[in-house]
Amino acid sequence: MIHRSTFGTSARRDRIERIELSLSNGFSASVLSWGATLQSISAPDARGHFDSVVLGYTSLDDYRCAHGRLGATMGRYANRIANGRFEIDGVAYQVECNEGKHAIHGGPEGFDRRPWQVARIVDEPNGPQVRFELRSPAGDQGFPGAMVMAVTYALVPPGDVVITYEACTDAPTVFNTTNHAYFNLAGEGSGSVLDHEVTLFADRFLPVDDELIPLGEMRDVTGTVFDFREPKPLGRDIRSDDAQVRLGRGFDHCYVLSSSERSTTPRLAARVLEPTSGRTLEVLTTEPGLQLHSGNVLNGRYGGASGRAYRQSDGFCLEAQHFPNAPNVSHFPSTVLRPETVYRSMTVYRFGVDDTPRV
């Protein structure tokens, strides 16, 4: 089932839509044409009680003014580019910087801060879906090439949110995208996520410098606080004296799922369990990296859908993407997109329950 409504009006008088997708079992998700944003996901706990499990706002003004990029689609380049500079085929480019001297998430007016066109809405037999499209002109935020990007949200029974990305360009450029949802499996606005038990199916992570730019190393997680290969509460080591944790003010690091290009089919990258509700989340993706972000930047300035302020570690991100600063690190998977290639990527958020009794 699909329900469309008006969410607000942009500063340029664009009508911003809210599209609610739902399945017959009650599982649902709401998305906005502002930033192609995932606003809410309603999923059951082990007792059958439904709550939204992603952080989101109820007004367009909050999405425009807040800086957490809650649930939005990132572009042209998710995560960081050092000094906002890179080269393609020997030609140097400078893009707009918005994190000190560095660029992050596409610049000050990235894809998360724009109205997208609702290109298609279909209620397929196996679940509803909506496709958003955005045109980005050559020189947008300093990036070369005119680009068209599309993101499709689809619900698949019993509890999958499938996000498919496509992009093409008329000149060589760099491109990296992800969804920036903050999850709280106990329910949006319920408080800290530090008790969530996290498993990451990755043997290496990317250590960073004091400005959160990757050093270029793919470091083994063995013997470090970054080892989540077995289930571990997110908060167990978040206050450790580890130098990398201090730099990130918690976890804000990319895990290496593959040192090569994206895969053709989604593979399991992470699993999370919230022990009280029994809700689980699995992340499957075709991308080579997964950014773990422990909600370090949430500062309590804005109230969410529950009417409660979002404070540090009230949500966590698992952002499937290519590596930060890949345009400047030759041994990272390439993020160069050329006119003869269509970018395609898929990430699946799979919700379920674990009703195993707990002592």
Side-chain angles (χ1 to χ4, degrees), residues 250-268:
F251 296 103
D252 192 4
H253 296 75
C254 188
Y255 279 76
V256 179
L257 305 175
S258 170
S259 58
S260 60
E261 298 295 332
R262 70 183 66 86
S263 63
T264 54
T265 57
R267 60 190 179 282
L268 185 62

Side-chain angles (χ1 to χ4, degrees), residues 2 4 17 19 21 118-123 128-131:
I2 299 171
R4 298 176 73 168
E17 291 194 67
I19 296 103
L21 312 174
V118 180
R120 185 178 71 239
I121 298 179
V122 220
D123 203 353
Q129 58 181 257
V130 57
R131 175 185 173 99

Side-chain angles (χ1 to χ4, degrees), residues 1 89 95 108 114 118 149 168-169 214 221 283:
M1 187 168 65
D89 302 333
V95 300
R114 304 185 192 183
V118 180
M149 182 183 174
C168 59
T169 179
V221 300
V283 180

Side-chain angles (χ1 to χ4, degrees), residues 44-63:
D45 64 12
R47 293 170 295 279
H49 177 74
F50 282 81
D51 284 302
S52 180
V53 292
V54 296
L55 308 192
Y57 301 122
T58 56
S59 80
L60 180 58
D61 283 345
D62 283 350
Y63 279 104

Side-chain angles (χ1 to χ4, degrees), residues 7 18 32 37-40 54-71 182 188 298-306 308-310:
F7 186 72
R18 179 180 186 267
L32 306 174
T37 293
L38 182 58
Q39 182 196 26
S40 68
V54 296
L55 308 192
Y57 301 122
T58 56
S59 80
L60 180 58
D61 283 345
D62 283 350
Y63 279 104
R64 292 173 58 190
C65 297
H67 299 291
R69 302 180 172 91
L70 270 61
Y182 287 81
E188 176 273 329
L298 300 174
N299 58 19
R301 290 184 60 192
Y302 296 90
S306 61
R308 298 177 181 178
Y310 296 148

Side-chain angles (χ1 to χ4, degrees), residues 100-113:
K101 64 182 182 181
H102 306 301
I104 185 170
H105 294 319
E109 294 297 324
F111 291 179
D112 60 302
R113 300 185 56 78

Side-chain angles (χ1 to χ4, degrees), residues 77-82 176 206 208 212-216 252-255 289-291 321-329 332-333 335:
Y77 199 93
N79 221 308
R80 295 170 175 86
I81 299 177
N176 188 25
L206 305 182
V208 296
L212 301 184
I213 302 297
L215 300 173
D252 192 4
H253 296 75
C254 188
Y255 279 76
L290 187 73
Q291 186 89 5
Q321 59 187 259
H322 268 57
F323 300 166
N325 200 36
N328 295 306
V329 184
F332 282 179
T335 54

